[in-house]
Amino acid sequence: MLSLFQIFLIASVAHSSCASTLRGASDVDDLELDLTLNEGFLRTENEFKSLNILTLGGSVTWGASIAPRHHAYPFLLQNYDGHKVTNLAIRATGALYPAQCILTMLKTTDYDFRIPFDVIIFDFSINGLGGFDLLLKRLRVRFPDALLIYVDLWSLKHGAIDSTEAQKLIKEYGGEVYHFGQFLYETPTTMDVNFAEGLQKGSDSFPSNENPQVKELFAEDEHHASVHGHKLIRYHIANIIEGHGSNFPSNPRLGPWLGGDFCMSWAKSNHSPAPIISGGQMREWDTSKGKWAIEAMPEGLILEYFHDGTEDIPINLHYMTKSEDPDDPLTSKYPPAMIKIEQSREIIEQRKQHISTADLNIALDSSGTGLRVIDDFDWARDGWVFLSGIQNRRGLRSFHVSETNTA
């Protein structure tokens, strides 16, 4: 079945960096479903000292703002503690993308799908927890014996998102939570400080703490963890793992992926798995970090996407956001767009002609914090999706942070 994306822009250009679909159970490979008992994997006594660890999160777990990035805690757990770590953290990205794309993400690594993860570590208190419950459920079903650890990070400059519910879910699954900065040094001392004291979770700002020992945990940007901060995180995670001890089974189980997924991303390369039919070009918008996006032209971008499944699936667009003024949606670096999905090129061209001659206007919504389309025609009823280009979380609008919309 052939599907076409059609993205029409209200203003100059827009950037889209990837698309994803969450597939039905009928699309999962039989091999993956047959691994439930995992009789082919039996850990030896020495292998208890070297566990398989999966880390998921944002730029801190990725290793941003430290040089080299291999001083980040996932690499320390591998190089210092001897564990095998698969680090799938993505900068400027919350939980929703891995929730929808975890299987696809793992397929881009050298991970052996016959071997279960013993420990799974999460970090989403800064970049967003949308979809975290789905991510947790998929991973718990797939790896029922894994130890789950949530690292509750926060930014000295910008605070954090309220992760209370995420922490609750982790504990309900028998996992552990580490609050960044819980101890000032690598071992408890009388100098311990509650770094996050006064932190109002979910607020747009964090009260500055001038304590130099606190600042030592953060990089120069006062947002990402410093090398010292990563050492502290590694120390406490290692303690949690050691405390789990004999609870790691010698023959850990494997379950299904809850339907699997298929995702396409061109954020880190100049190749789009979804061919550009017309009205767009691939552009490297951040040359220092090698980040790419498809730049759509005002006349409309058409992408082609082939779905080979037998069931209807949701399609999600993952895109970047940034506003010069978080209080003014009209200062967004990325203009809004109208999106339409059809099954043939002929219908797409008809829809293109229709919207190209329409007199669309964009205005603030009733809250004054978002945007809406003003027109007598009901575009939503006709199957169009309005992508505002605005980050939903006001506190993150000043940063290049990704957002996800369902088309």
Side-chain angles (χ1 to χ4, degrees):
M1 181 169 60
L2 187 66
S3 296
L4 292 174
F5 292 95
Q6 188 172 11
I7 303 179
F8 290 104
L9 307 184
I10 307 305
S12 57
V13 298
H15 293 168
S16 177
S17 58
C18 62
S20 65
T21 62
L22 191 61
R23 309 173 88 175
S26 61
D27 294 317
V28 184
D29 295 337
D30 291 338
L31 172 64
E32 295 162 1
L33 289 174
D34 289 342
L35 290 175
T36 305
L37 297 180
N38 194 32
E39 296 176 353
F41 179 80
L42 183 65
R43 181 184 287 110
T44 65
E45 183 175 350
N46 287 335
E47 286 176 325
F48 277 103
K49 299 178 182 178
S50 179
L51 301 174
N52 295 293
I53 299 177
L54 172 64
T55 54
L56 295 162
S59 54
V60 173
T61 298
W62 184 87
S65 297
I66 57 174
R69 62 179 283 242
H70 293 91
H71 287 305
Y73 75 86
F75 304 100
L76 297 180
L77 289 169
Q78 177 161 299
N79 299 330
Y80 187 85
D81 297 289
H83 300 301
K84 180 174 175 55
V85 180
T86 300
N87 186 5
L88 291 181
I90 306 176
R91 291 175 292 183
T93 302
L96 188 55
Y97 184 75
Q100 298 169 328
C101 302
I102 183 61
L103 178 57
T104 300
M105 293 169 67
L106 282 169
K107 287 180 177 179
T108 65
T109 72
D110 61 356
Y111 168 66
D112 185 341
F113 279 80
R114 296 169 296 180
I115 300 178
F117 285 111
D118 302 296
V119 181
I120 305 176
I121 302 170
F122 306 90
D123 134 44
F124 293 110
S125 292
I126 295 178
N127 286 351
L129 285 154
F132 182 74
D133 53 345
L134 173 61
L135 174 62
L136 197 59
K137 183 178 181 181
R138 295 188 72 192
L139 289 173
R140 173 47 85 207
V141 170
R142 178 65 175 177
F143 307 107
D145 299 313
L147 168 63
L148 307 178
I149 301 175
Y150 188 85
V151 180
D152 187 26
L153 294 173
W154 49 279
S155 164
L156 185 64
K157 191 173 185 179
H158 303 288
I161 297 169
D162 187 352
S163 61
T164 303
E165 290 302 315
Q167 296 176 39
K168 182 180 178 181
L169 286 173
I170 288 285
K171 293 178 180 178
E172 287 177 354
Y173 281 120
E176 301 281 347
V177 176
Y178 167 60
H179 301 279
F180 180 51
Q182 187 173 1
F183 297 112
L184 185 59
Y185 300 108
E186 292 190 0
T187 55
T189 71
T190 55
M191 294 293 291
D192 288 347
V193 176
N194 180 4
F195 299 146
E197 184 176 1
L199 171 62
Q200 300 299 315
K201 294 277 188 171
S203 65
D204 294 325
S205 61
F206 176 69
S208 176
N209 192 330
E210 297 301 323
N211 186 329
Q213 294 171 321
V214 174
K215 285 192 170 185
E216 187 181 14
L217 294 180
F218 294 89
E220 291 184 4
D221 61 8
E222 296 187 342
H223 179 66
H224 297 95
S226 65
V227 171
H228 180 71
H230 279 283
K231 289 181 179 179
L232 187 71
I233 297 171
R234 171 258 142 199
Y235 174 84
H236 288 288
I237 289 178
N239 277 350
I240 292 174
I241 293 174
E242 183 177 355
H244 200 64
S246 60
N247 291 323
F248 291 109
S250 59
N251 186 22
R253 297 166 294 170
L254 276 174
W257 282 106
L258 287 184
D261 56 63
F262 174 72
C263 303
M264 301 180 293
S265 177
W266 46 88
K268 296 181 180 180
S269 73
N270 62 350
H271 172 69
S272 169
I276 300 172
I277 302 301
S278 66
Q281 63 180 3
M282 188 69 69
R283 189 170 73 87
E284 188 176 18
W285 61 273
D286 189 333
T287 56
S288 64
K289 297 179 180 178
K291 293 184 178 182
W292 295 80
I294 294 177
E295 182 176 30
M297 300 298 112
E299 64 270 17
L301 163 68
I302 301 178
L303 299 178
E304 183 180 77
Y305 166 66
F306 182 74
H307 169 50
D308 58 356
T310 58
E311 300 178 4
D312 290 338
I313 53 174
I315 295 178
N316 301 278
L317 297 180
H318 194 65
Y319 57 94
M320 295 304 298
T321 65
K322 178 180 172 63
S323 297
E324 298 301 327
D325 182 353
D327 294 317
D328 185 358
L330 298 177
T331 65
S332 171
K333 183 179 180 69
Y334 304 105
M338 295 290 285
I339 303 169
K340 190 76 169 70
I341 300 175
E342 292 290 357
Q343 301 299 313
S344 74
R345 176 70 178 273
E346 181 181 1
I347 297 177
I348 283 288
E349 294 295 347
Q350 292 174 1
R351 300 298 191 186
K352 180 177 180 179
Q353 180 64 27
H354 179 198
I355 199 170
S356 297
T357 58
D359 184 20
L360 292 176
N361 293 292
I362 303 300
L364 296 177
D365 61 16
S366 58
S367 69
T369 61
L371 300 175
R372 63 188 178 95
V373 177
I374 300 178
D375 192 69
D376 294 334
F377 183 74
D378 192 340
W379 294 98
R381 183 181 293 275
D382 194 43
W384 290 86
V385 174
F386 175 62
L387 191 154
S388 70
I390 305 296
Q391 172 59 236
N392 290 329
R393 291 155 291 166
R394 180 191 170 280
L396 296 178
R397 289 183 177 179
S398 298
F399 304 93
H400 260 124
V401 181
S402 63
E403 188 60 89
T404 302
N405 269 40
T406 299

